[in-house]
Amino acid sequence: MFHGIWLEKHNDEFQASLREFESVEELGDGDTVVNVEWSSLNYKDALALTDRGAVIRKFPVVPGIDLAGTVESSASSEWQPGDRVLITGLGYGEARSGGYSQKARVSSNDLVPLPANVTTQQVMALGTAGFTAMVSLKRIEEAGIQPAHGPVLVTGAAGGVGSVAVALLANLGYSVSAVTGRPSEGERLRQLGAQQILPRNDFSVPGKPLAKEEWAAAIDTVGSHTLSNVLASTRYGGLVAACGLAQGLDLPTSVAPFILRGVTLAGIESVHFPITKRPAIWQRMVDLIDPSTLSLVAAQSIPLDRVIDTAHELLAGSVSGRLVVSLA
Ligand code: NDP
Protein backbone atom coordinates (compact mmCIF):
# COMPACT_ATOMS: atom_id res chain seq x y z
CA MET A 1 0.00 0.00 0.00
CA PHE A 2 1.18 3.51 -0.75
CA HIS A 3 -0.34 6.99 -0.87
CA GLY A 4 -0.76 9.44 -3.70
CA ILE A 5 -2.89 12.21 -5.17
CA TRP A 6 -5.44 11.09 -7.75
CA LEU A 7 -7.13 13.34 -10.29
CA GLU A 8 -10.38 12.15 -11.84
CA LYS A 9 -12.89 13.65 -14.24
CA HIS A 10 -16.33 12.18 -14.82
CA ASN A 11 -18.87 14.04 -16.99
CA ASP A 12 -16.81 17.23 -16.69
CA GLU A 13 -16.80 16.91 -12.89
CA PHE A 14 -13.24 17.20 -11.62
CA GLN A 15 -12.01 15.69 -8.37
CA ALA A 16 -8.58 15.84 -6.71
CA SER A 17 -8.09 13.60 -3.68
CA LEU A 18 -5.48 11.84 -1.59
CA ARG A 19 -5.91 8.07 -1.78
CA GLU A 20 -4.28 4.73 -1.11
CA PHE A 21 -3.03 2.49 -3.91
CA GLU A 22 -2.73 -1.27 -3.57
CA SER A 23 -0.47 -1.91 -6.54
CA VAL A 24 1.76 -0.04 -8.99
CA GLU A 25 -0.40 -1.60 -11.74
CA GLU A 26 -2.88 1.20 -10.98
CA LEU A 27 -0.31 3.74 -12.20
CA GLY A 28 -0.22 2.61 -15.84
CA ASP A 29 2.65 1.21 -17.91
CA GLY A 30 6.37 1.41 -17.20
CA ASP A 31 9.34 -0.94 -16.95
CA THR A 32 10.71 0.65 -13.77
CA VAL A 33 9.34 1.34 -10.30
CA VAL A 34 10.78 4.27 -8.35
CA ASN A 35 10.31 4.84 -4.63
CA VAL A 36 9.62 8.56 -4.78
CA GLU A 37 11.20 10.56 -1.95
CA TRP A 38 10.61 14.13 -3.10
CA SER A 39 8.61 15.95 -5.75
CA SER A 40 7.95 19.66 -6.24
CA LEU A 41 5.07 22.02 -6.89
CA ASN A 42 5.40 23.94 -10.15
CA TYR A 43 3.03 26.46 -11.74
CA LYS A 44 1.91 23.75 -14.16
CA ASP A 45 1.20 21.36 -11.27
CA ALA A 46 -0.93 24.04 -9.63
CA LEU A 47 -2.94 24.40 -12.85
CA ALA A 48 -3.39 20.61 -13.04
CA LEU A 49 -4.46 20.31 -9.38
CA THR A 50 -7.10 23.01 -9.86
CA ASP A 51 -8.31 21.78 -13.28
CA ARG A 52 -7.10 24.86 -15.13
CA GLY A 53 -5.15 25.25 -18.35
CA ALA A 54 -6.08 21.79 -19.71
CA VAL A 55 -2.78 20.43 -18.37
CA ILE A 56 -4.04 16.89 -17.77
CA ARG A 57 -4.33 14.98 -21.00
CA LYS A 58 -5.44 11.64 -19.56
CA PHE A 59 -7.69 11.00 -16.54
CA PRO A 60 -7.48 9.39 -14.02
CA VAL A 61 -3.88 10.23 -13.22
CA VAL A 62 -1.40 10.94 -10.44
CA PRO A 63 -0.22 14.55 -11.02
CA GLY A 64 3.27 15.87 -10.32
CA ILE A 65 5.61 16.73 -13.22
CA ASP A 66 8.79 16.14 -11.16
CA LEU A 67 10.06 13.28 -9.04
CA ALA A 68 13.26 12.11 -7.40
CA GLY A 69 13.90 8.90 -5.51
CA THR A 70 15.43 5.44 -5.64
CA VAL A 71 14.90 2.65 -8.16
CA GLU A 72 12.99 -0.25 -6.57
CA SER A 73 13.04 -2.51 -9.63
CA SER A 74 13.72 -2.18 -13.34
CA ALA A 75 13.42 -4.44 -16.36
CA SER A 76 16.28 -2.47 -17.91
CA SER A 77 19.85 -3.61 -17.27
CA GLU A 78 20.88 0.07 -17.20
CA TRP A 79 19.26 0.66 -13.81
CA GLN A 80 19.72 -1.28 -10.58
CA PRO A 81 17.68 -1.29 -7.37
CA GLY A 82 19.02 1.50 -5.16
CA ASP A 83 20.06 3.82 -8.03
CA ARG A 84 19.17 7.44 -7.24
CA VAL A 85 17.27 9.06 -10.07
CA LEU A 86 15.12 11.99 -11.13
CA ILE A 87 12.55 12.79 -13.81
CA THR A 88 11.22 16.17 -14.92
CA GLY A 89 8.57 16.75 -17.57
CA LEU A 90 8.28 14.23 -20.43
CA GLY A 91 4.51 14.02 -19.89
CA TYR A 92 4.67 12.72 -16.30
CA GLY A 93 1.85 14.23 -14.25
CA GLU A 94 0.09 15.22 -17.49
CA ALA A 95 -0.38 12.28 -19.87
CA ARG A 96 0.79 9.58 -17.44
CA SER A 97 1.06 9.26 -13.68
CA GLY A 98 3.78 11.39 -12.10
CA GLY A 99 5.46 12.36 -8.88
CA TYR A 100 2.72 12.87 -6.28
CA SER A 101 2.66 9.28 -5.09
CA GLN A 102 5.07 7.27 -2.99
CA LYS A 103 5.77 4.94 -5.90
CA ALA A 104 6.01 5.84 -9.57
CA ARG A 105 5.90 3.52 -12.54
CA VAL A 106 8.10 5.03 -15.23
CA SER A 107 10.01 4.26 -18.42
CA SER A 108 13.68 3.52 -17.82
CA ASN A 109 14.45 5.71 -20.88
CA ASP A 110 13.21 8.78 -19.01
CA LEU A 111 15.46 8.47 -15.96
CA VAL A 112 18.32 10.85 -15.24
CA PRO A 113 20.91 9.79 -12.64
CA LEU A 114 20.95 12.02 -9.60
CA PRO A 115 23.82 14.51 -10.04
CA ALA A 116 26.82 14.06 -7.75
CA ASN A 117 26.91 15.85 -4.39
CA VAL A 118 23.20 16.51 -4.11
CA THR A 119 20.25 14.93 -2.31
CA THR A 120 16.88 14.03 -3.81
CA GLN A 121 15.37 16.88 -1.80
CA GLN A 122 17.90 19.39 -3.11
CA VAL A 123 17.42 18.32 -6.71
CA MET A 124 13.65 18.79 -6.35
CA ALA A 125 14.29 22.27 -4.94
CA LEU A 126 15.35 22.94 -8.53
CA GLY A 127 12.97 20.61 -10.40
CA THR A 128 11.37 21.59 -13.71
CA ALA A 129 11.58 25.26 -12.78
CA GLY A 130 15.34 25.09 -12.22
CA PHE A 131 15.87 23.02 -15.34
CA THR A 132 13.92 25.61 -17.36
CA ALA A 133 16.03 28.42 -15.90
CA MET A 134 19.19 26.50 -16.80
CA VAL A 135 18.06 25.81 -20.38
CA SER A 136 17.23 29.53 -20.71
CA LEU A 137 20.67 30.48 -19.41
CA LYS A 138 22.26 28.04 -21.85
CA ARG A 139 20.54 29.83 -24.75
CA ILE A 140 21.95 33.15 -23.56
CA GLU A 141 25.45 31.68 -23.37
CA GLU A 142 25.10 30.02 -26.79
CA ALA A 143 24.29 33.45 -28.24
CA GLY A 144 27.71 34.57 -26.98
CA ILE A 145 26.29 36.98 -24.40
CA GLN A 146 28.73 37.32 -21.52
CA PRO A 147 28.64 39.21 -18.22
CA ALA A 148 30.68 42.08 -19.73
CA HIS A 149 27.96 42.73 -22.32
CA GLY A 150 25.55 44.24 -19.80
CA PRO A 151 22.80 43.48 -17.29
CA VAL A 152 20.42 40.55 -17.67
CA LEU A 153 16.76 40.97 -16.73
CA VAL A 154 14.67 38.26 -15.03
CA THR A 155 10.88 38.69 -14.84
CA GLY A 156 8.60 36.91 -12.36
CA ALA A 157 11.80 36.84 -10.33
CA ALA A 158 10.33 35.77 -7.01
CA GLY A 159 8.71 32.68 -8.57
CA GLY A 160 10.31 29.26 -9.05
CA VAL A 161 11.92 29.70 -12.49
CA GLY A 162 12.77 33.32 -11.70
CA SER A 163 14.49 32.61 -8.38
CA VAL A 164 16.72 29.91 -9.85
CA ALA A 165 17.47 32.08 -12.90
CA VAL A 166 18.59 34.96 -10.67
CA ALA A 167 20.88 32.66 -8.66
CA LEU A 168 22.42 30.93 -11.70
CA LEU A 169 23.08 34.18 -13.59
CA ALA A 170 24.55 35.89 -10.52
CA ASN A 171 26.82 32.92 -9.79
CA LEU A 172 28.17 33.15 -13.34
CA GLY A 173 29.00 36.82 -12.84
CA TYR A 174 26.11 38.46 -14.71
CA SER A 175 24.65 41.65 -13.28
CA VAL A 176 21.03 40.67 -12.65
CA SER A 177 18.01 42.98 -12.60
CA ALA A 178 15.00 41.27 -11.06
CA VAL A 179 11.39 42.24 -11.78
CA THR A 180 8.91 41.42 -9.05
CA GLY A 181 5.41 42.44 -8.05
CA ARG A 182 6.28 41.74 -4.42
CA PRO A 183 8.58 44.32 -2.82
CA SER A 184 8.77 42.06 0.25
CA GLU A 185 10.76 39.59 -1.89
CA GLY A 186 13.44 42.17 -2.68
CA GLU A 187 15.77 41.15 0.14
CA ARG A 188 15.62 37.45 -0.77
CA LEU A 189 16.30 38.31 -4.42
CA ARG A 190 19.30 40.40 -3.40
CA GLN A 191 20.59 37.49 -1.33
CA LEU A 192 20.22 35.29 -4.42
CA GLY A 193 22.43 37.78 -6.26
CA ALA A 194 20.15 40.38 -7.89
CA GLN A 195 21.81 43.79 -8.09
CA GLN A 196 18.67 45.72 -8.95
CA ILE A 197 15.00 45.14 -8.03
CA LEU A 198 12.41 46.61 -10.41
CA PRO A 199 8.64 46.87 -9.88
CA ARG A 200 6.39 44.61 -11.95
CA ASN A 201 4.16 47.55 -12.90
CA ASP A 202 6.99 49.10 -14.92
CA PHE A 203 6.67 46.17 -17.33
CA SER A 204 3.17 44.74 -17.13
CA VAL A 205 1.23 47.59 -18.79
CA PRO A 206 1.16 48.40 -22.54
CA GLY A 207 4.38 50.14 -23.64
CA LYS A 208 6.10 51.57 -26.72
CA PRO A 209 7.46 49.42 -29.60
CA LEU A 210 10.99 50.54 -28.64
CA ALA A 211 12.33 51.88 -25.34
CA LYS A 212 15.78 52.77 -23.97
CA GLU A 213 18.26 49.94 -24.58
CA GLU A 214 18.95 48.33 -21.20
CA TRP A 215 19.39 44.55 -21.20
CA ALA A 216 22.04 42.42 -22.87
CA ALA A 217 19.66 39.49 -22.37
CA ALA A 218 16.56 38.51 -20.45
CA ILE A 219 14.75 35.48 -19.07
CA ASP A 220 11.01 36.10 -19.18
CA THR A 221 8.63 33.86 -17.23
CA VAL A 222 5.63 36.16 -17.65
CA GLY A 223 4.69 36.75 -21.33
CA SER A 224 2.05 39.29 -22.46
CA HIS A 225 2.85 43.04 -22.10
CA THR A 226 5.80 42.22 -19.87
CA LEU A 227 7.55 40.26 -22.62
CA SER A 228 6.67 42.98 -25.11
CA ASN A 229 8.29 45.65 -22.89
CA VAL A 230 11.31 43.43 -22.26
CA LEU A 231 11.83 43.04 -26.02
CA ALA A 232 11.46 46.81 -26.48
CA SER A 233 14.20 47.53 -23.93
CA THR A 234 16.68 44.82 -24.95
CA ARG A 235 19.98 46.11 -26.32
CA TYR A 236 21.11 45.79 -29.92
CA GLY A 237 21.93 42.12 -30.66
CA GLY A 238 20.48 40.88 -27.36
CA LEU A 239 18.48 37.74 -26.68
CA VAL A 240 15.27 37.21 -24.72
CA ALA A 241 14.57 33.66 -23.55
CA ALA A 242 10.77 33.35 -23.28
CA CYS A 243 9.71 30.47 -21.08
CA GLY A 244 6.50 31.41 -19.28
CA LEU A 245 3.05 32.93 -19.35
CA ALA A 246 2.31 33.98 -15.75
CA GLN A 247 0.81 37.27 -17.00
CA GLY A 248 -0.72 35.86 -20.19
CA LEU A 249 -0.40 33.80 -23.33
CA ASP A 250 -0.60 36.85 -25.57
CA LEU A 251 2.32 38.83 -26.97
CA PRO A 252 1.22 42.30 -28.07
CA THR A 253 4.50 43.36 -29.67
CA SER A 254 5.79 44.81 -32.96
CA VAL A 255 8.65 43.74 -35.23
CA ALA A 256 10.66 46.83 -34.20
CA PRO A 257 13.01 45.11 -31.68
CA PHE A 258 13.77 42.38 -34.23
CA ILE A 259 14.35 44.44 -37.38
CA LEU A 260 15.84 47.59 -35.83
CA ARG A 261 17.92 46.09 -33.01
CA GLY A 262 18.49 42.52 -34.16
CA VAL A 263 16.98 41.19 -30.95
CA THR A 264 16.42 37.42 -30.82
CA LEU A 265 13.33 35.96 -29.20
CA ALA A 266 14.28 32.43 -28.13
CA GLY A 267 11.51 30.00 -27.18
CA ILE A 268 12.31 27.73 -24.24
CA GLU A 269 10.59 24.36 -23.87
CA SER A 270 11.99 22.14 -21.17
CA VAL A 271 9.38 19.37 -21.00
CA HIS A 272 10.59 17.45 -24.06
CA PHE A 273 14.22 18.59 -23.89
CA PRO A 274 16.41 15.73 -25.24
CA ILE A 275 17.11 13.14 -22.55
CA THR A 276 20.74 12.55 -23.62
CA LYS A 277 21.63 16.17 -22.89
CA ARG A 278 19.95 16.29 -19.48
CA PRO A 279 22.56 14.73 -17.16
CA ALA A 280 25.27 17.28 -18.04
CA ILE A 281 22.84 20.19 -17.64
CA TRP A 282 21.71 18.92 -14.24
CA GLN A 283 25.27 18.44 -13.04
CA ARG A 284 26.27 21.94 -14.13
CA MET A 285 23.24 23.47 -12.46
CA VAL A 286 23.93 21.66 -9.19
CA ASP A 287 27.60 22.71 -9.35
CA LEU A 288 26.58 26.35 -9.81
CA ILE A 289 24.23 26.50 -6.82
CA ASP A 290 25.54 25.97 -3.31
CA PRO A 291 23.31 24.53 -0.55
CA SER A 292 22.80 27.89 1.19
CA THR A 293 21.54 29.41 -2.08
CA LEU A 294 19.29 26.38 -2.55
CA SER A 295 17.68 26.95 0.81
CA LEU A 296 16.89 30.51 -0.29
CA VAL A 297 15.42 29.18 -3.55
CA ALA A 298 13.24 26.61 -1.79
CA ALA A 299 12.69 27.58 1.80
CA GLN A 300 9.51 25.52 2.16
CA SER A 301 8.79 21.82 2.06
CA ILE A 302 5.25 20.52 2.31
CA PRO A 303 3.77 17.06 2.89
CA LEU A 304 1.57 15.40 0.27
CA ASP A 305 -1.63 16.25 2.13
CA ARG A 306 -0.88 20.00 1.80
CA VAL A 307 -0.28 19.96 -1.96
CA ILE A 308 -3.86 20.55 -3.16
CA ASP A 309 -4.43 23.58 -0.89
CA THR A 310 -1.01 25.00 -1.66
CA ALA A 311 -1.71 24.84 -5.40
CA HIS A 312 -4.41 27.48 -4.90
CA GLU A 313 -1.97 29.67 -2.95
CA LEU A 314 0.63 29.38 -5.71
CA LEU A 315 -1.84 30.49 -8.38
CA ALA A 316 -2.90 33.38 -6.16
CA GLY A 317 0.75 34.53 -6.24
CA SER A 318 1.42 34.13 -2.53
CA VAL A 319 4.15 31.47 -2.76
CA SER A 320 7.77 32.58 -3.02
CA GLY A 321 10.50 30.58 -4.67
CA ARG A 322 10.22 26.83 -4.99
CA LEU A 323 8.15 24.35 -3.01
CA VAL A 324 9.39 20.82 -2.44
CA VAL A 325 6.94 18.04 -1.66
CA SER A 326 7.84 15.25 0.77
CA LEU A 327 6.57 11.76 -0.07
CA ALA A 328 7.91 10.22 3.15
P1 NDP B 1 5.62 30.63 -10.15
O1 NDP B 1 4.18 30.78 -9.88
O2 NDP B 1 6.53 30.10 -9.11
O3 NDP B 1 6.21 32.05 -10.58
C1 NDP B 1 5.56 32.91 -11.48
C2 NDP B 1 5.90 34.33 -11.10
O4 NDP B 1 5.37 35.21 -12.09
C3 NDP B 1 5.25 34.81 -9.79
O5 NDP B 1 5.99 34.42 -8.66
C4 NDP B 1 5.23 36.30 -10.00
O6 NDP B 1 6.52 36.78 -9.71
C5 NDP B 1 5.01 36.44 -11.50
N1 NDP B 1 3.61 36.73 -11.83
C6 NDP B 1 2.52 36.04 -11.43
N2 NDP B 1 1.41 36.57 -11.94
C7 NDP B 1 1.79 37.64 -12.67
C8 NDP B 1 1.10 38.63 -13.44
N3 NDP B 1 -0.22 38.62 -13.56
N4 NDP B 1 1.82 39.58 -14.06
C9 NDP B 1 3.16 39.61 -13.96
N5 NDP B 1 3.88 38.70 -13.23
C10 NDP B 1 3.19 37.75 -12.61
O7 NDP B 1 5.75 29.78 -11.50
P2 NDP B 1 7.05 29.04 -12.11
O8 NDP B 1 8.24 29.83 -11.80
O9 NDP B 1 6.98 27.59 -11.76
O10 NDP B 1 6.72 29.15 -13.66
C11 NDP B 1 6.80 30.42 -14.29
C12 NDP B 1 6.25 30.32 -15.71
O11 NDP B 1 7.10 29.49 -16.49
C13 NDP B 1 4.86 29.71 -15.78
O12 NDP B 1 4.10 30.41 -16.74
C14 NDP B 1 5.13 28.29 -16.24
O13 NDP B 1 4.04 27.75 -16.92
C15 NDP B 1 6.32 28.50 -17.14
N6 NDP B 1 7.16 27.31 -17.31
C16 NDP B 1 7.51 26.97 -18.57
C17 NDP B 1 8.31 25.90 -18.81
C18 NDP B 1 8.76 25.63 -20.19
O14 NDP B 1 9.23 24.53 -20.49
N7 NDP B 1 8.66 26.60 -21.07
C19 NDP B 1 8.71 25.00 -17.73
C20 NDP B 1 8.39 25.51 -16.41
C21 NDP B 1 7.59 26.61 -16.23
P3 NDP B 1 6.74 38.08 -8.79
O15 NDP B 1 5.95 37.84 -7.54
O16 NDP B 1 8.20 38.13 -8.59
O17 NDP B 1 6.21 39.25 -9.58
Side-chain angles (χ1 to χ4, degrees), residues 32 119 125 168 252 263:
T32 300
T119 65
L168 290 171
V263 169

PDB file of all heavy atoms in Angstrom, residues 32 119 125 168 252 263:
ATOM      1  N   THR A  32       9.907   0.357 -14.970  1.00  0.00           N
ATOM      2  CA  THR A  32      10.710   0.652 -13.775  1.00  0.00           C
ATOM      3  C   THR A  32       9.812   1.220 -12.676  1.00  0.00           C
ATOM      4  O   THR A  32       8.935   2.038 -12.966  1.00  0.00           O
ATOM      5  CB  THR A  32      11.820   1.674 -14.140  1.00  0.00           C
ATOM      6  OG1 THR A  32      12.634   1.092 -15.164  1.00  0.00           O
ATOM      7  CG2 THR A  32      12.681   2.046 -12.947  1.00  0.00           C
ATOM      8  N   THR A 119      21.258  15.869  -2.798  1.00  0.00           N
ATOM      9  CA  THR A 119      20.248  14.927  -2.311  1.00  0.00           C
ATOM     10  C   THR A 119      19.013  14.995  -3.211  1.00  0.00           C
ATOM     11  O   THR A 119      18.839  15.939  -3.995  1.00  0.00           O
ATOM     12  CB  THR A 119      19.818  15.282  -0.876  1.00  0.00           C
ATOM     13  OG1 THR A 119      19.167  16.561  -0.923  1.00  0.00           O
ATOM     14  CG2 THR A 119      21.000  15.344   0.076  1.00  0.00           C
ATOM     15  N   ALA A 125      14.346  20.821  -5.177  1.00  0.00           N
ATOM     16  CA  ALA A 125      14.289  22.266  -4.945  1.00  0.00           C
ATOM     17  C   ALA A 125      14.477  23.004  -6.273  1.00  0.00           C
ATOM     18  O   ALA A 125      14.005  24.119  -6.452  1.00  0.00           O
ATOM     19  CB  ALA A 125      15.358  22.692  -3.949  1.00  0.00           C
ATOM     20  N   LEU A 168      21.481  31.483 -10.717  1.00  0.00           N
ATOM     21  CA  LEU A 168      22.421  30.934 -11.702  1.00  0.00           C
ATOM     22  C   LEU A 168      23.181  32.051 -12.410  1.00  0.00           C
ATOM     23  O   LEU A 168      24.411  31.996 -12.548  1.00  0.00           O
ATOM     24  CB  LEU A 168      21.670  30.101 -12.747  1.00  0.00           C
ATOM     25  CG  LEU A 168      21.076  28.775 -12.288  1.00  0.00           C
ATOM     26  CD1 LEU A 168      20.172  28.183 -13.377  1.00  0.00           C
ATOM     27  CD2 LEU A 168      22.177  27.782 -11.934  1.00  0.00           C
ATOM     28  N   PRO A 252       1.585  41.136 -27.276  1.00  0.00           N
ATOM     29  CA  PRO A 252       1.216  42.300 -28.072  1.00  0.00           C
ATOM     30  C   PRO A 252       2.441  43.148 -28.421  1.00  0.00           C
ATOM     31  O   PRO A 252       2.650  44.231 -27.869  1.00  0.00           O
ATOM     32  CB  PRO A 252       0.253  43.054 -27.150  1.00  0.00           C
ATOM     33  CG  PRO A 252       0.602  42.614 -25.767  1.00  0.00           C
ATOM     34  CD  PRO A 252       1.327  41.314 -25.843  1.00  0.00           C
ATOM     35  N   VAL A 263      17.254  41.964 -32.173  1.00  0.00           N
ATOM     36  CA  VAL A 263      16.980  41.187 -30.950  1.00  0.00           C
ATOM     37  C   VAL A 263      16.465  39.798 -31.333  1.00  0.00           C
ATOM     38  O   VAL A 263      15.695  39.654 -32.285  1.00  0.00           O
ATOM     39  CB  VAL A 263      15.941  41.933 -30.074  1.00  0.00           C
ATOM     40  CG1 VAL A 263      15.431  41.049 -28.945  1.00  0.00           C
ATOM     41  CG2 VAL A 263      16.557  43.217 -29.515  1.00  0.00           C
TER      42      VAL A 263
END
